[in-house]
Amino acid sequence: DGRSSGQDRHAVALGCLLGLNQPAVAESSTNAAGMADSAIIQVRVQDDFAFVTAKIQWPAKKGQVLPLLQEPAVLTGLSYASNALQLVSSTANGKPSSELVARKNGTFELGLQYQLRIQSRDGESGFILPTQPGLINRLHLELVGQDMDLRAPTAVSVHREPGTNGTVVDLVLSPVAGAWIGWKPRDR
């Protein structure tokens, strides 16, 4: 009957005002930014640009947000479960960014492609990873036609592949946002 549902609404509203409605608190905590389980990233640097493909695995709860990409990177492709996730534009640190919002609980596989311009910093060329880290972060970097020494302060493992035309390096990175990946000509 309409009267009892009206009373229920008033009881819920009163509970919210008094802080007694625990489900509302739990629901708001699920809107926190999520962290991916893994981010597997492939970067090919040619001339002044990095061309990036990332595969991300994200265990999400309904309403949770996964920051995807921040400026200056430009999103060129994205594959995701559109029936379970929603792509939204937002602002992070005053810069435009892209995020995914989970419409339901689940573990989701994402494919992300983007490009960004190479920067100069402290005598090095490089870039700051514009994506959020995962618990596991692997990066495969190919510097086409360039014989370089790599500097990645957040790397816990660096493996340079010998005998390639250019520089090819596999890295395992700490789960830190804003990781710098830099290089300069090899010392001889």
Side-chain angles (χ1 to χ4, degrees), residues 8-140:
D8 290 345
R9 280 195 302 267
H10 291 300
V12 169
L14 180 60
C16 287
L17 288 173
L18 296 175
L20 300 175
N21 191 350
Q22 295 303 317
V25 173
E27 186 175 309
S28 67
S29 69
T30 63
N31 290 333
M35 179 177 253
D37 274 351
S38 66
I40 310 301
I41 303 167
Q42 299 219 349
V43 181
R44 182 176 50 85
V45 174
Q46 195 165 355
D47 300 322
D48 292 334
F49 294 93
F51 302 89
V52 184
T53 300
K55 295 194 183 309
I56 298 169
Q57 184 177 45
W58 178 39
K61 293 189 165 118
K62 184 177 181 178
Q64 207 167 25
V65 175
L66 179 68
L68 274 185
L69 195 63
Q70 292 183 353
E71 240 185 30
V74 176
L75 186 65
T76 59
L78 179 62
S79 61
Y80 63 98
S82 60
N83 63 335
L85 303 171
Q86 179 180 7
L87 180 64
V88 296
S89 296
S90 64
T91 304
N93 300 324
K95 295 181 179 182
S97 65
S98 300
E99 300 176 336
L100 283 175
V101 178
R103 292 182 187 171
K104 55 181 156 179
N105 296 339
T107 298
F108 303 102
E109 302 286 331
L110 316 171
L112 178 67
Q113 296 87 38
Y114 61 91
Q115 296 177 13
L116 69 154
R117 183 177 290 276
I118 300 304
Q119 305 169 12
S120 291
R121 177 168 121 178
D122 300 328
E124 297 179 329
S125 296
F127 57 91
I128 295 173
L129 276 176
T131 53
Q132 291 296 310
L135 294 173
I136 299 168
N137 302 284
R138 294 179 188 215
L139 187 136
H140 176 84

